[in-house]
Amino acid sequence: TMLLVRAVVGVGEASYATLAPTIIDDITPPDKKGKALAIFYLATPIGSAMGFVLGGLIESAWGWRAVFFVAGGPGILLALLCLLIEEPKRQLATTRVSVIDSAKQLLLIPLYRRTVGGYIAHTAAVGAFAHWAPTFLHDRYGMDLKPATFWFGVVTVVSGAIATVVGGRWVDRALARYPSTGDHDHPSTRAGTNALLRICAIGVAFAAPFTVAAFASPSPIGFFILVFFVELGIFLSTSPVNAALLRTVPAGLRASSMAVAIFGIHIFGDLGSPPAVGLLQDHLPIVAAMMALPVLIAVAALVWWPRRREALADPSG
């Protein structure tokens, strides 16, 4: 039953995550797109962290079943309220296209491939980090799972909120220098996309050494302080990477662009990374096993770092 319900939730999540960014991109002025996307994606770190914090508190007071009602009840109410929202007038009309044909066309675009490739490594690291962090705190420092989960959630709320807002403002500054012409193949558009990917690369490159230091920290206090900086770097890329996904493709393929990216980052990213890290823990000390995560973060930085020759290349190359 839980598997079935989770699958239904996944359908809804995939739908809104695919369509919402394209609507935001349509209805916001060019100089505020980064800020708007940042506000939208701010829900990711805050919502995830609230799940860590409130989930533990509710479970200890009323049992694990109550958590689903507290988390799911407002979601049902908000979904019904969304039916009352007037459909915004879209500036760019969507075109009905084949999913397979769209994916083939998208994967021919080098900047799009690189954006998704870095996003896969990034998501794999984040998924495994979120899954194993409380267990790491318990095994490494002897912390109980409830306080470990609570404090990890608190750090995620603060660092995620700061990084997402800063990333959004950085996106607006980058796009102001390289305004989109509506043509994904225009040199200004490609240069702007590379500027967005540079923000992503800087963020994860900043996070990688702090991740190594966090897992090597001899105390839980040191771990939480270092993780604050890790998550600053990781969440800094949230707004720019999604803005890049929208800029690298023709207007009629933006929804397909988000759909293919979401499919890729989950199938090749956070679906397999938690079990893979768990397998490493079966054969290595937990500190050594967790060091796979900064490697993934470094891979994301390497993939995202702009290539000047690619910005000038033919997108069908």
Side-chain angles (χ1 to χ4, degrees):
T1 301
M2 294 182 71
L3 178 63
L4 176 62
V5 173
R6 182 69 183 101
V8 175
V9 170
V11 171
E13 179 182 352
S15 300
Y16 97 84
T18 298
L19 299 175
T22 66
I23 296 175
I24 293 171
D25 191 56
D26 274 351
I27 66 177
T28 54
D31 60 334
K32 296 182 179 179
K33 291 184 185 297
K35 180 180 178 181
L37 286 172
I39 293 172
F40 175 72
Y41 285 108
L42 188 61
T44 301
I46 290 181
S48 299
M50 287 179 63
F52 278 112
V53 175
L54 296 180
L57 295 175
I58 294 169
E59 188 276 334
S60 62
W62 297 295
W64 64 268
R65 289 178 176 84
V67 177
F68 293 98
F69 290 99
V70 173
I76 295 174
L77 177 61
L78 289 172
L80 294 175
L81 289 176
C82 284
L83 296 175
L84 304 178
I85 299 175
E86 182 180 357
E87 179 74 15
K89 184 178 180 180
R90 307 292 294 274
Q91 296 179 14
L92 295 171
T94 57
T95 305
R96 187 181 298 275
V97 293
S98 164
V99 175
I100 301 298
D101 291 342
S102 297
K104 290 179 179 178
Q105 187 174 347
L106 290 168
L107 294 176
L108 290 175
I109 303 173
L111 276 173
Y112 180 78
R113 290 199 306 266
R114 189 155 58 79
T115 303
V116 175
Y119 208 179
I120 288 172
H122 174 277
T123 305
V126 171
F129 200 178
H131 183 88
W132 287 110
T135 302
F136 175 84
L137 289 167
H138 174 75
D139 293 353
R140 169 77 163 158
Y141 307 115
M143 291 185 67
D144 291 338
L145 286 178
K146 288 180 181 178
T149 301
F150 174 83
W151 287 111
F152 186 73
V154 170
V155 171
T156 301
V157 167
V158 177
S159 60
I162 294 173
T164 305
V165 171
V166 171
R169 291 183 178 275
W170 203 344
V171 167
D172 287 335
R173 290 179 58 186
L175 296 186
R177 293 181 58 195
Y178 304 104
S180 175
T181 62
D183 178 6
H184 75 288
D185 190 26
H186 192 277
S188 176
T189 304
R190 291 201 302 265
T193 302
N194 268 283
L196 296 176
L197 294 182
R198 183 180 291 107
I199 298 171
C200 298
I202 291 172
V204 289
F206 173 83
F210 282 102
T211 309
V212 174
F215 291 137
S217 173
S219 69
I221 295 177
F223 174 85
F224 284 120
I225 292 173
L226 291 164
V227 163
F228 174 81
F229 293 103
V230 171
E231 295 192 335
L232 278 181
I234 286 176
F235 286 112
L236 184 69
S237 63
T238 302
S239 179
V241 70
N242 285 281
L245 288 171
L246 295 173
R247 283 178 64 99
T248 57
V249 302
L253 292 177
R254 290 176 307 151
S256 297
S257 163
M258 300 302 298
V260 171
I262 292 169
F263 178 82
I265 64 175
H266 290 309
I267 290 295
F268 302 109
D270 57 5
L271 177 65
S273 61
V277 172
L279 182 62
L280 288 176
Q281 292 180 32
D282 290 339
H283 302 281
L284 297 171
I286 192 169
V287 173
M290 295 295 278
M291 289 299 174
L293 303 188
V295 172
L296 287 171
I297 294 173
V299 168
L302 181 63
V303 173
W304 274 335
W305 192 257
R307 280 77 163 166
R308 180 174 176 82
R309 67 181 184 277
E310 185 180 77
L312 302 177
D314 188 316
S316 63

